[in-house]
Amino acid sequence: PLRAITHATGVGFKSFVEEHRGAFSDMQFEDRLRTKPHSREAQRYRHLMACTLQPLNRRAMELVLSHTHLIDGEFPECIYSLYSHVIEMDSLLERWQHGDFA
């Protein structure tokens, strides 16, 4: 399940970028999403994050958390990175709900 979840998030994000980026480079597209929060692309990005990608991220984290008993010794750094990413994205989604796009 974890591999399927991470594959789905990667494919979903890539599909979004390919559909909405147009002639922009990746950096230009990211800049546009950041600097034009009311653009169609930015609104769709926030929707994708809130409704599809972040729920999958949370599911991945829950899956890992429910199987930590299988880890012998120290947790790998990638697990802490996953936790951090999910927590940071939850915080970002909360700010977006309040109109804070900074």
Side-chain angles (χ1 to χ4, degrees):
L2 185 59
R3 181 176 245 166
I5 291 168
T6 57
H7 178 75
T9 58
V11 168
F13 181 73
K14 183 179 178 184
S15 175
F16 167 81
V17 170
E18 288 175 357
E19 180 180 344
H20 296 283
R21 183 181 59 201
F24 295 115
S25 71
D26 286 345
M27 289 185 71
Q28 290 170 324
F29 184 60
E30 288 178 29
D31 188 53
R32 179 172 170 76
L33 294 176
R34 192 174 34 259
T35 60
K36 299 189 182 297
H38 299 290
S39 69
R40 181 176 176 202
E41 298 90 354
Q43 291 174 6
R44 291 211 172 159
Y45 174 69
R46 290 192 301 275
H47 185 266
L48 175 72
M49 286 303 305
C51 297
T52 304
L53 299 181
Q54 188 60 2
L56 288 171
N57 288 337
R58 285 188 202 110
R59 185 156 179 227
M61 185 175 82
E62 290 165 6
L63 188 60
V64 170
L65 285 172
S66 69
H67 291 85
T68 56
H69 64 282
L70 299 173
I71 299 172
D72 193 24
E74 293 293 316
F75 284 4
E77 190 60 37
C78 61
I79 291 177
Y80 294 117
S81 295
L82 174 63
Y83 297 165
S84 177
H85 175 71
V86 172
I87 291 166
E88 289 172 14
M89 290 308 299
D90 279 343
S91 176
L92 180 62
L93 291 174
E94 184 69 26
R95 291 195 317 265
W96 285 350
Q97 281 187 323
H98 293 95
D100 180 359
F101 305 118

